[in-house]
Coordinates of all heavy atoms in Angstrom, one line a residue:
E18 N -104.3 -18.9 -2.4 CA -105.5 -18.0 -1.7 C -104.9 -16.7 -1.1 O -105.6 -15.7 -1.2 CB -106.2 -18.8 -0.8 CG -107.4 -18.0 -0.2 CD -108.4 -18.9 0.6 OE1 -108.0 -20.1 0.8 OE2 -109.4 -18.5 1.2
Y19 N -103.8 -16.8 -0.4 CA -103.3 -15.6 0.2 C -102.1 -15.0 -0.4 O -101.2 -14.4 0.3 CB -103.0 -16.0 1.7 CG -104.3 -16.3 2.4 CD1 -104.5 -17.7 2.8 CD2 -105.2 -15.4 2.8 CE1 -105.7 -18.0 3.4 CE2 -106.4 -15.7 3.4 CZ -106.7 -17.0 3.7 OH -107.8 -17.3 4.4
I20 N -101.9 -15.2 -1.7 CA -100.7 -14.8 -2.3 C -101.0 -13.9 -3.5 O -101.9 -14.2 -4.4 CB -99.8 -16.0 -2.9 CG1 -99.6 -17.1 -1.8 CG2 -98.6 -15.6 -3.5 CD1 -98.9 -18.3 -2.2
T21 N -100.3 -12.7 -3.6 CA -100.5 -11.9 -4.7 C -99.7 -12.5 -5.9 O -98.6 -13.0 -5.8 CB -99.9 -10.5 -4.3 OG1 -100.5 -9.9 -3.4 CG2 -99.7 -9.6 -5.6
V22 N -100.4 -12.4 -7.1 CA -99.8 -13.0 -8.3 C -99.8 -11.9 -9.4 O -100.6 -11.0 -9.5 CB -100.7 -14.1 -8.8 CG1 -100.2 -14.8 -10.1 CG2 -100.9 -15.2 -7.7
A23 N -98.8 -12.0 -10.3 CA -98.6 -11.2 -11.4 C -98.3 -11.9 -12.6 O -97.8 -13.0 -12.6 CB -97.6 -10.1 -11.1
W24 N -98.7 -11.2 -13.7 CA -98.2 -11.7 -15.1 C -97.1 -10.8 -15.6 O -97.2 -9.5 -15.5 CB -99.4 -11.7 -16.0 CG -100.4 -12.8 -15.8 CD1 -101.5 -12.8 -15.2 CD2 -100.2 -14.1 -16.4 NE1 -102.1 -14.0 -15.2 CE2 -101.3 -14.9 -16.0 CE3 -99.3 -14.8 -17.2 CZ2 -101.6 -16.2 -16.4 CZ3 -99.5 -16.1 -17.5 CH2 -100.6 -16.7 -17.2
F25 N -96.1 -11.4 -16.2 CA -95.0 -10.6 -16.9 C -94.9 -11.2 -18.3 O -95.5 -12.3 -18.6 CB -93.7 -10.9 -16.1 CG -93.6 -10.2 -14.8 CD1 -94.3 -10.7 -13.7 CD2 -93.0 -8.9 -14.6 CE1 -94.3 -10.1 -12.4 CE2 -93.0 -8.3 -13.4 CZ -93.6 -8.9 -12.3
R26 N -94.1 -10.5 -19.1 CA -93.9 -11.0 -20.4 C -92.5 -10.6 -20.9 O -91.9 -9.6 -20.5 CB -94.9 -10.5 -21.4 CG -94.9 -9.0 -21.7 CD -96.0 -8.6 -22.6 NE -96.0 -7.1 -22.9 CZ -97.0 -6.5 -23.6 NH1 -98.1 -7.3 -24.1 NH2 -96.9 -5.2 -23.8
Q27 N -92.0 -11.5 -21.8 CA -90.5 -11.2 -22.3 C -90.4 -11.6 -23.7 O -90.9 -12.6 -24.2 CB -89.6 -12.0 -21.4 CG -88.1 -11.7 -21.6 CD -87.2 -12.2 -20.6 OE1 -87.5 -13.3 -20.0 NE2 -86.0 -11.7 -20.5
V28 N -89.8 -10.7 -24.5 CA -89.3 -11.0 -25.8 C -87.8 -11.1 -25.8 O -87.1 -10.5 -25.0 CB -89.8 -10.0 -26.8 CG1 -91.3 -9.9 -26.9 CG2 -89.2 -8.5 -26.6
P29 N -87.3 -11.9 -26.8 CA -85.8 -12.1 -26.9 C -85.1 -10.8 -26.9 O -85.5 -9.8 -27.6 CB -85.6 -12.9 -28.2 CG -86.8 -13.6 -28.3 CD -88.0 -12.7 -27.8
G30 N -84.1 -10.7 -26.1 CA -83.2 -9.5 -26.1 C -83.7 -8.3 -25.3 O -83.1 -7.2 -25.3
K31 N -84.9 -8.4 -24.7 CA -85.5 -7.4 -23.8 C -85.7 -7.9 -22.4 O -85.8 -9.0 -22.1 CB -86.8 -6.8 -24.4 CG -86.6 -6.2 -25.8 CD -87.9 -5.5 -26.1 CE -87.8 -4.6 -27.3 NZ -89.0 -3.9 -27.7
Q32 N -85.8 -7.0 -21.6 CA -86.0 -7.2 -20.1 C -87.5 -7.8 -19.9 O -88.4 -7.4 -20.7 CB -85.9 -5.9 -19.3 CG -84.5 -5.3 -19.2 CD -83.7 -6.0 -18.2 OE1 -84.2 -6.9 -17.4 NE2 -82.4 -5.8 -18.2
R33 N -87.6 -8.7 -19.0 CA -89.0 -9.1 -18.6 C -89.8 -7.9 -18.0 O -89.3 -7.3 -17.2 CB -88.9 -10.2 -17.6 CG -90.2 -11.0 -17.5 CD -90.0 -12.3 -16.6 NE -89.1 -13.2 -17.3 CZ -88.9 -14.4 -16.9 NH1 -89.4 -14.9 -15.9 NH2 -88.1 -15.2 -17.7
E34 N -91.0 -7.6 -18.6 CA -91.8 -6.6 -18.1 C -93.1 -7.0 -17.5 O -93.7 -8.0 -17.9 CB -92.1 -5.6 -19.3 CG -93.0 -6.3 -20.3 CD -93.4 -5.1 -21.3 OE1 -93.2 -3.9 -21.2 OE2 -94.0 -5.6 -22.5
G35 N -93.5 -6.1 -16.5 CA -94.7 -6.5 -15.8 C -95.9 -6.1 -16.6 O -95.9 -5.1 -17.4
V36 N -96.9 -7.0 -16.6 CA -98.2 -6.8 -17.4 C -99.3 -6.5 -16.4 O -100.0 -5.4 -16.7 CB -98.4 -8.1 -18.2 CG1 -99.7 -7.9 -19.0 CG2 -97.3 -8.3 -19.2
A37 N -99.5 -7.3 -15.5 CA -100.7 -7.1 -14.6 C -100.5 -7.8 -13.3 O -99.8 -8.8 -13.3 CB -102.0 -7.6 -15.3
C38 N -101.1 -7.3 -12.2 CA -101.0 -8.0 -11.0 C -102.4 -7.9 -10.3 O -103.3 -7.1 -10.7 CB -100.0 -7.4 -10.1 SG -100.3 -5.7 -9.6
I39 N -102.6 -8.9 -9.4 CA -103.8 -8.9 -8.6 C -103.5 -9.3 -7.1 O -102.7 -10.2 -6.9 CB -104.8 -9.9 -9.2 CG1 -106.2 -9.8 -8.6 CG2 -104.2 -11.3 -9.2 CD1 -107.3 -10.5 -9.3
S40 N -104.1 -8.5 -6.2 CA -103.9 -8.7 -4.8 C -104.5 -10.1 -4.3 O -105.3 -10.6 -5.1 CB -104.5 -7.6 -3.9 OG -105.9 -7.4 -4.2
Y41 N -104.1 -10.6 -3.2 CA -104.5 -11.9 -2.9 C -106.0 -12.1 -2.8 O -106.5 -13.2 -3.0 CB -103.8 -12.5 -1.7 CG -104.2 -11.9 -0.3 CD1 -105.3 -12.3 0.3 CD2 -103.3 -11.0 0.3 CE1 -105.6 -11.7 1.6 CE2 -103.7 -10.4 1.5 CZ -104.8 -10.8 2.1 OH -105.1 -10.3 3.4
E42 N -106.7 -11.1 -2.3 CA -108.2 -11.2 -2.2 C -108.9 -10.9 -3.4 O -110.1 -10.9 -3.6 CB -108.7 -10.3 -1.0 CG -109.0 -8.9 -1.3 CD -107.7 -8.1 -1.6 OE1 -106.5 -8.6 -1.5 OE2 -107.9 -6.9 -2.0
G43 N -108.2 -10.3 -4.4 CA -108.7 -10.0 -5.8 C -109.3 -8.6 -5.8 O -109.8 -8.2 -6.8
G44 N -109.1 -7.8 -4.8 CA -109.8 -6.5 -4.7 C -109.0 -5.4 -5.4 O -109.4 -4.3 -5.5
H45 N -107.7 -5.6 -5.8 CA -106.9 -4.6 -6.3 C -106.1 -5.2 -7.5 O -105.6 -6.2 -7.4 CB -105.9 -4.0 -5.3 CG -105.0 -2.9 -5.8 ND1 -105.5 -1.7 -6.0 CD2 -103.8 -2.8 -6.4 CE1 -104.6 -0.9 -6.4 NE2 -103.6 -1.6 -6.7
T46 N -106.1 -4.5 -8.7 CA -105.3 -4.8 -9.8 C -104.5 -3.7 -10.3 O -104.9 -2.5 -10.1 CB -106.2 -5.3 -10.9 OG1 -107.2 -4.3 -11.2 CG2 -107.0 -6.6 -10.5
E47 N -103.4 -3.9 -11.0 CA -102.6 -2.9 -11.7 C -102.3 -3.4 -13.0 O -102.1 -4.6 -13.2 CB -101.3 -2.7 -10.8 CG -101.4 -2.0 -9.5 CD -101.7 -0.5 -9.6 OE1 -101.4 0.1 -10.6 OE2 -102.2 0.1 -8.6
Y48 N -102.1 -2.5 -13.9 CA -101.9 -2.9 -15.3 C -100.7 -2.0 -15.9 O -100.6 -0.8 -15.6 CB -103.1 -2.8 -16.2 CG -104.2 -3.7 -15.8 CD1 -105.1 -3.3 -15.0 CD2 -104.2 -4.9 -16.4 CE1 -106.2 -4.1 -14.6 CE2 -105.3 -5.9 -16.0 CZ -106.2 -5.4 -15.2 OH -107.2 -6.3 -14.8
A49 N -100.0 -2.6 -16.8 CA -99.0 -1.8 -17.6 C -99.8 -0.8 -18.5 O -100.9 -1.2 -19.0 CB -98.1 -2.7 -18.3
T50 N -99.3 0.4 -18.7 CA -100.0 1.3 -19.6 C -100.3 0.7 -21.0 O -101.4 0.9 -21.5 CB -99.1 2.5 -19.8 OG1 -98.8 3.1 -18.5 CG2 -99.8 3.6 -20.6
S51 N -99.4 0.0 -21.5 CA -99.6 -0.7 -22.8 C -100.7 -1.6 -22.9 O -101.1 -1.9 -24.1 CB -98.3 -1.4 -23.3 OG -97.9 -2.4 -22.3
V52 N -101.1 -2.2 -21.8 CA -102.3 -3.2 -21.9 C -103.5 -2.7 -21.2 O -104.6 -3.4 -21.3 CB -101.8 -4.5 -21.2 CG1 -100.5 -5.0 -22.0 CG2 -101.7 -4.5 -19.8
K53 N -103.5 -1.5 -20.6 CA -104.7 -1.1 -19.9 C -105.9 -0.9 -20.8 O -105.8 -0.4 -21.9 CB -104.3 0.2 -19.2 CG -105.2 0.6 -18.0 CD -104.7 1.8 -17.3 CE -103.4 1.5 -16.5 NZ -102.9 2.7 -15.8
G54 N -107.0 -1.4 -20.3 CA -108.2 -1.3 -21.2 C -108.3 -2.5 -22.2 O -109.4 -2.7 -22.7
R55 N -107.3 -3.3 -22.3 CA -107.4 -4.5 -23.2 C -107.3 -5.7 -22.5 O -107.8 -6.8 -22.8 CB -106.3 -4.4 -24.3 CG -106.3 -3.2 -25.1 CD -105.4 -3.3 -26.3 NE -103.9 -3.2 -25.8 CZ -103.1 -4.2 -26.1 NH1 -103.5 -5.2 -26.8 NH2 -101.9 -4.2 -25.6
F56 N -106.5 -5.8 -21.4 CA -106.2 -7.0 -20.6 C -106.9 -6.8 -19.3 O -107.0 -5.9 -18.7 CB -104.7 -7.2 -20.3 CG -103.8 -7.5 -21.6 CD1 -104.4 -7.5 -22.9 CD2 -102.5 -7.9 -21.4 CE1 -103.6 -7.8 -24.0 CE2 -101.7 -8.3 -22.4 CZ -102.2 -8.1 -23.7

């Protein structure tokens, strides 16, 4: 309930990259440019 959570993804041989996050109350989100509008 009081913890910010994020999703990341990783493919073999590449760095783990951020995909999306959400603030603990759900009022703020951020997205990677590559997924904005789709995720």
Side-chain angles (χ1 to χ4, degrees):
E18 186 172 2
Y19 295 107
I20 306 176
T21 294
V22 180
W24 283 96
F25 291 78
R26 65 187 181 186
Q27 189 170 21
V28 297
K31 291 192 174 181
Q32 295 278 349
R33 191 168 297 188
E34 65 171 350
V36 175
C38 65
I39 186 165
S40 58
Y41 71 75
E42 85 291 355
H45 183 80
T46 57
E47 292 281 344
Y48 296 91
T50 302
S51 60
V52 307
K53 202 171 292 185
R55 300 187 298 121
F56 291 12

